[in-house]
Amino acid sequence: MFCIFISIASSQTAISQTKQKPGDWESLKLTYTEPTDLNNFGAALPIGNGRLGAKIYGNVSQELLNLNEVTLWSGGPVNKTNPEGPKILAQVRQALAAKLYKKADSLVRFMEVKNSACYEPLGNIKLDFDNSVTYTNYSRELDMDRAMITVKYKIGSVNYTREVFASYPDQVIIIRVYGDTKSAVNFSAGMDSPLKGKVLVDGNTIVVNGYAPAFDAPKAGSAIWEDNKGMRFESRLNIKTMGGKVTGKGDGLSIANADTAILILSSATSFNGFDKDPVTQGKDYKALVKSYIAKAAAKSYQQLADAHVKDHRALFRRLWVDINAEKPNKNVLAYQYARYELIACSRPGGGAPRNEQGIWNKDVSPHYSSNYTLNENPEKFYSIAEPANIGETTEPLIKYIGDLAVHGAVTAKVDYGFHGWVTHHNSDVWAMTEMALGDPCWADWPTGGFWLTQTVYERYAFSLDKNYLRTTAYPIMKGAAEFALDLMVTNKDGYLVTSPSTSPENHFFDEKGNRVAVSEGSTMDMTFIRELFQHCIQESEVLGIDTGFRAKLKNSLPKLLPYKIGTQGQLNEFSFDFTDGIKEWEPNHRHVSHLVSVWPLSQINKNTPELLAAAHKSLALRKSGGYHPDKAGMWARLLDGDKCLAALALNFPSLYDSPSGGFAEMLLQSHTGDIDILPALPKAWSSGKILGIRARGNYEVDIEWTDHQLKKAVIRSYSGNTPVVTVLGKKVNYKTDPRISFVNVK
């Protein structure tokens, strides 16, 4: 059995020393003058504490909160392995060696199994307010610095306020409703859930007990329910008032003539780990939620709010950024929103990482199952964490990767006959690692674990925590490398190539005009393996272990299929050029998988100028496509700040918009070993500053520039290292450069 001891907490030693940065934090707000349409779930404002999440619409007459708990999924642990896999794999490899791509495409489907489980909605809070048809002075605001949503409006002579936040310290969601006139608060409160269960009233608390489907798929009406299967959950909404009266009203509560009402919501599920049956081996979720509510209800609103704001700011205020003295710059607002959202989605101890939709979902059978689509989403959304000085948010993902490694070792052995561990494109809270059912262009992707190890490695690269490296990072990465060695075959030219291989989610036309996806040695695959082997070699040297395995990796590295530059000067996506009858399928395909070699990985960089130019050509040829995983991050690494700026996402809040991956990369890069200051500064950003950005090697950096020139920089080293520094593309001696201050914090 593949075993990993997850120990991440110690990696926070250096980061916890970082201080809150000065800045105009009041400017980081999303403000609106009308409620969100109840049919526009994506635009509703989100809150979350990494475990509990809610979407708030801000309607006056009926406030709606869609609720979620990050571990509430359909299904349970299930063995989906395919013992026929090794035999089918051998046939697929034979077909690929003969360039029978259509046959390989057909054969590989027999390695596929059932699809993943679905992330499920917890339910809803509905608050119906009296005498609220006519209102004025409406405002709705998400304050990122306080992680709080405030709705204000006036009815008659009374000014009403609602405040909502999700507390990490107290594990509850808090709603406060009050007016500026005594006895003015009147409303009824109810809860429901689209899952199976019941609602009851227990004193001044509404209780929802329920369970998730035994099986679900991303298609309306596909849920299958069984009484003795499915995740169990309980939600409790406790209401207390200052003044007035709380009474039962059917399966809800009525609040009459109160000065203030405070609603405390918490929930818990029976999820007890990816390999535990949620019914027979589940947690005592009812005791958990009662404990959360009891502890929070014993505190005043101010105590709850103060603890919440203090906790959130300890993370959020580690980084301040200002562009052109705009209050705020639109790209700054988007970047800080991406930081806010990741904090809301992913906190240590939450139980599961950020999924397809963050932690927000209202549908029983959600789009794409709201699962983990591993060929871009977790890697894309978590890539901002370390530079943005919120590295702790990666811990739920790293723990989850450890679960995948354990389950994936079984899949590797049974489905492939290989060593190490594997995971494919789709997964869920049950750590599914088998090949899902679907088009091979995405389903046949046994390299998911390789890309996920990048997050595992980056946690070490930014923190230099050797204990974490020894107990967590290296075992996970070694297992992925062992599978990589077995996944490769020697091609006709003597190079090691992955077989089978795809480039998500692209196709090509074979010599007979068939649209196919499966081949050997895609550029994405070979990038993953090259970087993974290099990291494992480096890590084993740091730890002084595994000399034999290290030698095997060193021996394999020069045999890996090299990058190829095509006839248009582009970096090839597949192991062949589009000549001799093999044709490109979709020139502006939405995925640009081969350029992960530029970002978020670092195989192609300023030290490989010929390949960097080829990558630049490839991204230009994609034109309007190539937005998966994040074109902005790639343009920044290609040192084209203007194109990066143009590609940055600005449509937020939204379920599927990309985060601002390229934002920090324009201002600081450290993937080549240098602290590279202002490497891709766009022309439009003539002045600005960023305080608290992180660099690999356990550095924190402050940068200020004017008229496109560095004004000053402060580099803080938390591990006692001394850096190589580059400014605007030129190496400098930081010891003699008057613009740069170096501080050894250790």
Side-chain angles (χ1 to χ4, degrees):
M1 177 62 70
F2 191 91
C3 295
I4 295 170
F5 175 68
I6 301 294
S7 174
I8 308 174
S10 61
S11 67
Q12 303 312 310
T13 303
I15 294 177
S16 64
Q17 299 176 48
T18 64
K19 298 179 180 179
Q20 295 185 24
K21 304 302 183 289
D24 184 10
W25 296 98
E26 281 290 314
S27 66
L28 298 181
K29 295 178 179 178
L30 305 182
T31 58
Y32 307 86
T33 57
E34 58 185 25
T36 307
D37 188 306
L38 290 177
N39 294 315
N40 194 350
F41 175 76
L45 295 176
I47 57 169
N49 65 8
R51 187 180 71 86
L52 297 172
K55 283 277 198 151
I56 295 92
Y57 294 80
N59 278 268
V60 174
S61 59
Q62 185 184 76
E63 179 63 286
L64 175 66
L65 282 78
N66 304 127
L67 305 173
N68 289 99
E69 207 277 358
V70 74
T71 63
L72 184 57
W73 289 66
S74 66
V78 60
N79 179 14
K80 300 178 181 179
T81 53
N82 182 0
E84 296 297 309
K87 182 171 67 176
I88 300 166
L89 174 65
Q91 296 171 2
V92 171
R93 285 179 158 180
Q94 287 175 359
L96 289 172
K99 296 185 179 182
L100 300 174
Y101 299 116
K102 184 179 180 181
K103 183 178 181 181
D105 251 44
S106 299
L107 285 169
V108 80
R109 291 177 182 268
F110 292 99
M111 295 183 70
E112 298 174 353
V113 297
K114 292 181 180 179
N115 286 323
S116 71
C118 287
Y119 179 56
E120 300 292 355
L122 186 62
N124 307 290
I125 296 175
K126 294 180 179 178
L127 308 177
D128 290 298
F129 290 86
D130 298 343
N131 303 319
S132 56
V133 176
T134 304
Y135 59 89
T136 59
N137 297 3
Y138 182 89
S139 70
R140 181 167 54 99
E141 171 187 279
L142 168 57
D143 184 338
M144 297 182 211
D145 180 48
R146 296 169 68 225
M148 189 175 295
I149 293 169
T150 303
V151 177
K152 294 183 178 182
Y153 53 90
K154 187 175 183 178
I155 297 177
S157 61
V158 182
N159 293 294
Y160 289 95
T161 303
R162 304 177 198 162
E163 298 165 338
V164 190
F165 62 89
S167 168
Y168 179 73
D170 289 292
Q171 290 298 305
V172 293
I173 290 173
I174 301 292
I175 308 167
R176 180 168 72 155
V177 183
Y178 60 96
D180 63 356
T181 301
K182 280 187 163 296
S183 306
V185 175
N186 297 274
F187 65 94
S188 61
M191 291 184 72
D192 61 26
S193 175
L195 305 184
K196 299 287 187 181
K198 60 183 179 179
V199 182
L200 58 90
V201 173
D202 180 11
N204 65 340
T205 301
I206 303 172
V207 183
V208 180
N209 272 301
Y211 61 97
F215 174 78
D216 200 0
K219 181 180 179 181
S222 64
I224 297 173
W225 307 84
E226 296 183 30
D227 291 343
N228 61 343
K229 292 183 180 179
M231 185 97 65
R232 268 47 184 170
F233 72 90
E234 181 170 289
S235 300
R236 286 180 168 260
L237 179 65
N238 173 272
I239 303 178
K240 58 182 181 179
T241 63
M242 282 89 253
K245 189 177 182 181
V246 181
T247 56
K249 183 180 178 182
D251 56 4
L253 293 171
S254 178
I255 293 82
N257 304 321
D259 303 334
T260 300
I262 298 172
L263 293 73
I264 305 173
L265 178 282
S266 195
S267 182
T269 77
S270 61
F271 181 72
N272 198 24
F274 76 96
D275 55 351
K276 300 292 192 300
D277 185 281
V279 178
T280 61
Q281 299 171 293
K283 285 184 178 179
D284 188 348
Y285 58 99
K286 294 184 178 181
L288 275 174
V289 71
K290 286 179 181 178
S291 173
Y292 293 141
I293 291 289
K295 290 177 181 178
K299 300 178 182 180
S300 70
Y301 174 83
Q302 204 58 53
Q303 287 174 317
L304 292 166
D306 287 349
H308 158 70
V309 172
K310 181 180 179 181
D311 167 76
H312 174 73
R313 284 177 173 170
L315 278 170
F316 190 68
R317 283 193 171 186
R318 289 177 182 171
L319 183 144
W320 172 258
V321 61
D322 184 13
I323 303 294
N324 294 339
E326 297 171 9
K327 300 294 183 181
N329 173 275
K330 62 183 179 180
N331 296 111
V332 168
L333 198 64
Y335 181 61
Q336 292 285 28
Y337 178 80
R339 295 179 72 243
Y340 164 81
E341 188 181 73
L342 192 53
I343 293 169
C345 284
S346 189
R347 297 289 298 271
R354 183 197 193 286
N355 62 55
E356 179 82 9
Q357 296 180 181
I359 56 172
W360 303 284
N361 167 45
K362 66 179 179 62
D363 300 315
V364 175
S365 301
H367 189 50
Y368 297 136
S369 301
S370 193
N371 62 10
Y372 302 115
T373 53
L374 302 182
N375 72 11
E376 61 133 349
N377 272 346
E379 301 89 349
K380 173 178 68 179
F381 282 99
Y382 278 97
S383 67
I384 73 163
E386 297 289 358
N389 215 337
I390 50 173
E392 292 94 324
T393 61
T394 66
E395 293 185 16
L397 178 60
I398 293 171
K399 183 181 182 303
Y400 177 68
I401 295 169
D403 293 344
L404 291 173
V406 174
H407 193 186
V410 177
T411 305
K413 182 177 180 181
V414 176
D415 291 41
Y416 287 87
F418 289 176
H419 301 88
W421 67 275
V422 61
T423 191
H424 295 79
H425 171 54
N426 279 154
S427 192
D428 51 32
V429 77
W430 309 111
M432 173 183 166
T433 54
E434 298 88 352
M435 193 185 299
L437 191 65
D439 191 319
C441 77
W442 56 265
D444 177 25
W445 195 65
T447 57
F450 305 164
W451 197 356
L452 287 172
T453 60
Q454 184 71 8
T455 300
V456 176
Y457 171 77
E458 293 280 53
R459 194 78 189 106
Y460 169 71
F462 278 85
S463 70
L464 300 186
D465 184 334
K466 286 187 180 179
N467 183 56
Y468 160 75
L469 176 63
R470 180 180 300 105
T471 60
T472 302
Y474 183 72
I476 289 174
M477 299 187 74
K478 179 182 178 181
E482 288 174 326
F483 183 83
L485 288 169
D486 286 349
L487 184 62
M488 292 187 292
V489 299
T490 302
N491 73 2
K492 62 180 179 59
D493 298 318
Y495 290 115
L496 291 174
V497 294
T498 50
S499 182
S501 173
T502 56
S503 187
E505 300 175 15
N506 212 344
H507 294 84
F508 58 92
F509 292 109
D510 68 10
E511 294 175 353
K512 295 182 179 179
N514 301 303
R515 195 183 87 176
V516 292
V518 182
S519 65
E520 293 182 318
S522 74
T523 297
M524 187 188 217
D525 286 6
M526 304 315 297
T527 295
F528 288 156
I529 292 175
R530 190 171 282 106
E531 189 136 335
L532 173 61
F533 284 8
Q534 289 171 350
H535 289 162
C536 284
I537 291 166
Q538 172 192 326
E539 290 173 344
S540 68
E541 289 172 343
V542 169
L543 295 173
I545 60 174
D546 261 351
T547 54
F549 186 65
R550 187 193 315 158
K552 183 183 293 187
L553 297 182
K554 284 184 174 180
N555 182 57
S556 298
L557 267 176
K559 300 177 183 177
L560 300 180
L561 181 71
Y563 292 107
K564 291 186 177 181
I565 298 177
T567 56
Q568 299 181 73
Q570 85 282 13
L571 185 72
N572 277 359
E573 182 170 359
F574 298 93
S575 59
F576 40 73
D577 206 349
F578 292 122
T579 57
D580 300 326
I582 297 179
K583 293 183 173 61
E584 189 171 13
W585 168 55
E586 192 177 48
N588 63 338
H589 185 63
R590 69 188 183 281
H591 280 260
V592 61
S593 301
H594 52 312
L595 297 189
V596 300
S597 51
V598 175
W599 181 94
L601 280 72
S602 58
Q603 285 296 301
I604 296 177
N605 55 58
K606 64 183 181 181
N607 298 323
T608 59
E610 185 179 10
L611 290 174
L612 197 69
H616 193 287
K617 180 67 173 180
S618 287
L619 197 53
L621 287 171
R622 274 296 201 260
K623 297 180 180 178
S624 62
Y627 49 84
H628 289 319
D630 187 354
K631 192 156 56 174
M634 294 171 181
W635 280 124
R637 288 280 183 89
L638 291 167
L639 308 179
D640 195 327
D642 292 337
K643 284 190 171 66
C644 174
L645 183 59
L648 285 178
L650 290 173
N651 181 28
F652 61 93
S654 162
L655 286 182
Y656 291 104
D657 204 15
S658 294
S660 303
F663 185 96
E665 296 289 334
M666 289 188 284
L667 303 178
L668 183 74
Q669 296 179 13
S670 59
H671 58 289
T672 63
D674 298 359
I675 291 183
D676 204 344
I677 297 171
L678 304 179
L681 187 65
K683 293 175 184 176
W685 290 3
S686 60
S687 63
K689 62 182 174 182
I690 186 165
L691 311 177
I693 189 170
R694 295 273 297 172
R696 294 164 185 82
N698 205 7
Y699 296 103
E700 186 185 82
V701 184
D702 299 341
I703 304 167
E704 185 173 351
W705 70 96
T706 305
D707 295 328
H708 297 99
Q709 296 297 317
L710 178 66
K711 182 178 179 181
K712 64 178 179 180
V714 179
I715 301 171
R716 288 178 286 276
S717 172
Y718 289 100
S719 292
N721 296 328
T722 55
V724 175
V725 180
T726 302
V727 176
L728 292 164
K730 297 181 180 179
K731 287 195 176 178
V732 300
N733 186 342
Y734 72 88
K735 296 179 181 179
T736 59
D737 193 316
R739 302 170 297 176
I740 301 173
S741 300
F742 177 78
V743 182
N744 191 341
V745 183
K746 186 175 181 181

